[in-house]
Each structure stands twice: as structure tokens, then as C-alpha cells.
Amino acid sequence: MLKGLGWRPFFVRQLSLDEDGDLVPVRVTAVHRSGLHVLGPGVDAAIPPFADPSGGREQVATIGDWLLYDPASGSAMRLLDRQSLFKRRAPGSGREVQLIAANIDTVFIVTSCNQDFNIARLERYLTIAREAQAMPVIVITKADLAEDAEAYAEQAQALDSNLCIELVNATEPGAVKRLHPWCAPGQTVVFVGSSGVGKSTLIKSLTGQQDIATQEIREDDAKGRHTTSSRELYQLENGAWLVDTPGMRELQMVDVKDGLALVFSDLADLAAHCRFSDCRHETEPRCAVLAAIERGEVDADRVQRWKKLIAEEERNSESLSERRARDRAFGNMIKAVKRDSKK
Ligand SMILES: Nc1nc2c(ncn2[C@@H]2O[C@H](COP(=O)(O)OP(=O)(O)OP(=O)(O)O)[C@@H](O)[C@H]2O)c(=O)[nH]1
Ligand SMILES: [Mg+2]
Ligand SMILES: [Zn+2]
């Protein structure tokens, strides 16, 4: 049962025989406004939202997380460390980080052969997937509706020749079979992308579950109608777990330094040869990046996008670390007050 849910040695190692004796590992299979659904040996329960008492904004249980559950009290006690985490900067002001899914093996970055297809957005998704240490696969849907579907696949492949790209008709259960290699037993795959690209349609075709809601997109701009509103895990017959997510309007990045270095490794390698180590690749003399553009070896637009993402990452991560410092200071203050009141 546990193995089928994606249980691994990585999690076993976090258990302590003395402390956790009566607790049961459970996996979060749905996240709603009102709470979580958890599944484990002998447990199939709805519980309130859970945040690990160790604190921190990222210690809030999200879909795919493993919790230690106390059957006697019917509540979660501890959040286990994650093997991977897909997160973004929360839209709107105030909230800093939004957790999308935890403990995932593969990220299906879903886009369509229409106006949704956007190279800059794909680079963002790729960066976050790389940072999360999950395997990215670009799934391009609506191949049946496009005149030249292959052209979309070729554009995506140009991002990285090693990238896995699948062109499908998501409404065809036979056609989505090519996605099976990533959906092995015990594996967890999260589906991300804009509204209307066919995330739920793919899951419907893969699982054969007919009660998953999908909805036609707007004709004028190919935008979806935000049909899926909560995150949910669906199980394939073979035991793989598929995470459906609501379509994302914007994808702001935070904490993705490593991810950026991996997705843009060609540019990072070049930049190592700039004369100045803090080169902004604008007008500096002996800039290896500018020289490569001049020689026609790299695409100037791609360099532009890269610089924009680096600036965004620095801005967002800076405000996040300030906030974390403030949270820590506040925690210390509370502790000090408690100490004083004890005296
Ligand atoms: N012809 C065709 N239609 C598709 C394909 N993929 C999705 N659709 C249609 O596109 C519409 C939107 O699909 P959904 O699965 O609801 O999209 P979603 O990504 O889940 O959207 P949100 O839940 O709003 O984020 C539906 O009418 C689907 O039938 C495809 O490959 N071919
Ligand atoms: Mg959906
Ligand atoms: Zn430079």
C-alpha cells in the first residue's frame, strides 16, 4: 500500500522508532480550501489544513506531501522532508511563495498548438522544474487542431536538444499512451500549464476516469475558463499518481538560481569567460556573451529573456529572504517574551 503511494527509503529514513511508533505515514491526495485529503494504510480521511509546528511558510502541507498521522486523534503530527518541491511566487501582493506540489518525479509542462504556445513561458516552467529536481517533459496538446503541429515541437526542441517533447491529441486515449513511460507504478507526475491547455483532458484520457471536469476554451484568444479549481491526485490503473492543478495565469519565480543555471547552461558557460565577473552583458568590453551574439552563435532574444529572468529571480528571492529574516526575528521576539513571562 505504502509503496504504491510513492513511499521511498528517503522518507523511511526520517522515521524515529521511539517517537513515531504509533503514527502512520499518509500522503496528501487533495488540497481544498477547507482542508486536505490523506491516504495511507488503514487511513482515508479528510483533515484540516496542516502546517508543521517547526514553522516557516514552506512547512504548510501541500499535495503529494507525506505526513505522519495519529489514528487515535485523527490528526497529522509531522510533515516529512520533501524529495522535490514545485513552487512559484504567489500571485498578488503579500503572499510570498505558493507551493504547487511536493514529492513529484516528473513535471508535464502542458501547452497547446495555438496562441498559448510561448517560448519564454516554457523557459520559466523548465527553470522551476529543474530547480525542483524533477524531470521536465513538454507535452504539446491539440496536435489534431493545428495545420503544422510539428513546427511547435521543433520550436520547443530548439530550447534544448535533450529535452523530452511529446506532441499529442489529449482527447484520444490511444494517443496519450506515449506518455506512459513517465507514469510507472509509484511515480508521481504533476501537470502544469495555463488554463485550457488540456491538463484535465490528458488525465481523463490516461485514467479513463470520466467524471473529471473539462471545459471548452474561448474561441477568440484560446484562453481557458479556469475549470479545475483545486489540486488533486488521480491514480492510474498501474499505480502511478497524476496531479491535476488549476491553470496558472502567471508564473513568477523565486529561489531558482540553480534551475536558471541549468536551463541556460550554454549562456552561463559563456558568461564565465567575460572579462568582468559581474558583467551585465550590456556594453562591457570583452563580454563573451555579446561576442557570441555578434558571431551569430547565440540568439540575442534568448539572452534578453535570460537576463530578465535573472533580474526577476534576484528581486523575488531578495524580498523573500528579507521576509524570512523578519519572520525569524519575530519568532525570537516571541520566545524572549515567553521566557520573560516565565521568570
Ligand atoms: N481537439 C482537442 N481538444 C483538446 C485537446 N486537449 C484539450 N482539448 C480541449 O480543450 C478544452 C480545455 O481542456 P481542459 O482539460 O479543461 O483544460 P485544463 O488545462 O484542465 O484547464 P483548467 O482546468 O482551466 O486549468 C476542452 O474542451 C478539451 O476537450 C486536444 O489535444 N485536442
Ligand atoms: Mg483542468
Ligand atoms: Zn558579459
Side-chain angles (χ1 to χ4, degrees):
M1 159 97 198
L2 272 177
K3 196 156 171 254
L5 277 168
W7 184 245
R8 318 220 161 134
F10 176 83
F11 304 112
V12 178
R13 285 196 291 272
Q14 300 178 46
L15 301 184
S16 136
L17 275 182
D18 330 327
E19 287 168 40
D20 304 329
D22 299 326
L23 303 181
V24 183
V26 294
R27 195 155 193 213
V28 178
T29 58
V31 176
H32 304 288
R33 284 228 173 79
S34 57
L36 313 171
H37 198 96
V38 295
L39 208 57
V43 183
D44 186 348
I47 64 168
F50 177 78
D52 197 272
S54 69
R57 230 156 265 266
E58 286 170 38
Q59 296 305 310
V60 179
T62 191
I63 194 141
D65 262 324
W66 281 98
L67 299 171
L68 294 183
Y69 177 84
D70 179 12
S73 66
S75 51
M77 308 303 288
R78 192 147 75 84
L79 171 69
L80 297 185
D81 286 346
R82 296 157 175 146
Q83 195 155 33
S84 60
L85 177 65
F86 193 98
K87 66 179 184 186
R88 66 167 169 172
R89 182 188 153 111
S93 56
R95 288 169 300 156
E96 286 292 325
V97 176
Q98 185 191 27
L99 309 183
I100 307 289
N103 302 317
I104 46 183
D105 301 291
T106 304
V107 181
F108 279 175
I109 300 169
V110 187
T111 180
S112 305
C113 299
N114 59 24
Q115 285 133 283
D116 181 74
F117 190 91
N118 177 305
I119 286 292
R121 178 143 27 77
L122 288 178
E123 282 170 339
R124 281 174 183 266
Y125 276 112
L126 279 174
T127 299
I128 299 186
R130 292 287 192 156
E131 182 73 38
Q133 302 197 31
M135 168 83 170
V137 177
I138 296 189
V139 180
I140 310 177
T141 58
K142 313 196 184 184
D144 53 311
L145 300 180
E147 263 173 31
D148 189 5
E150 281 294 335
Y152 290 92
E154 277 165 26
Q155 273 191 67
Q157 194 73 71
L159 286 169
D160 178 349
S161 54
N162 292 323
L163 199 57
C164 295
I165 294 166
E166 297 294 348
L167 195 55
V168 295
N169 171 358
T171 63
E172 264 291 314
V176 299
K177 278 215 179 88
R178 55 194 311 153
L179 302 179
H180 276 168
W182 288 279
C183 309
Q187 292 276 304
T188 304
V189 182
V190 64
F191 292 62
V192 296
S194 321
S195 176
V197 294
K199 300 179 294 298
S200 303
T201 304
L202 281 167
I203 293 179
K204 212 166 159 174
S205 294
L206 282 162
T207 60
Q209 230 164 296
Q210 289 311 316
D211 54 349
I212 301 175
T214 61
Q215 201 177 179
E216 277 173 21
I217 57 174
R218 302 199 301 228
E219 245 169 54
D220 51 343
D221 60 1
K223 286 213 160 66
R225 300 168 193 272
H226 293 276
T227 309
T228 306
S229 59
S230 58
R231 282 167 285 147
E232 204 144 336
L233 270 174
Y234 293 92
Q235 192 168 32
L236 262 188
E237 233 167 62
N238 73 357
W241 290 95
L242 312 180
V243 186
D244 197 4
T245 67
M248 293 187 219
R249 287 194 179 85
E250 60 166 333
L251 192 65
Q252 282 262 326
M253 309 191 304
V254 65
D255 278 346
V256 290
K257 236 193 173 103
D258 296 340
L260 275 176
L262 288 167
V263 172
F264 294 93
S265 61
D266 53 334
L267 301 182
D269 287 350
L270 272 175
H273 293 101
C274 293
R275 173 166 174 196
F276 301 109
S277 60
D278 61 348
C279 185
R280 313 289 301 178
H281 326 300
E282 304 279 355
T283 53
E284 289 87 344
R286 286 174 48 199
C287 166
V289 176
L290 293 176
I293 294 176
E294 209 137 282
R295 289 196 304 271
E297 287 168 12
V298 300
D299 175 16
D301 289 342
R302 180 168 147 84
V303 171
Q304 231 26 60
R305 297 194 301 266
W306 174 58
K307 291 201 288 199
K308 188 171 163 222
L309 292 179
I310 289 180
E312 177 182 316
E313 139 72 21
E314 283 171 359
R315 214 169 41 240
N316 288 349
S317 302
E318 209 167 84
S319 63
L320 180 68
S321 67
E322 276 167 18
R323 169 152 230 148
R324 280 175 181 149
R326 232 180 306 139
D327 283 354
R328 256 196 314 277
F330 184 70
N332 289 339
M333 192 184 83
I334 300 273
K335 269 189 223 148
V337 170
K338 281 190 182 151
R339 253 195 327 268
D340 285 350
S341 63
K342 266 190 201 149
K343 270 185 205 157

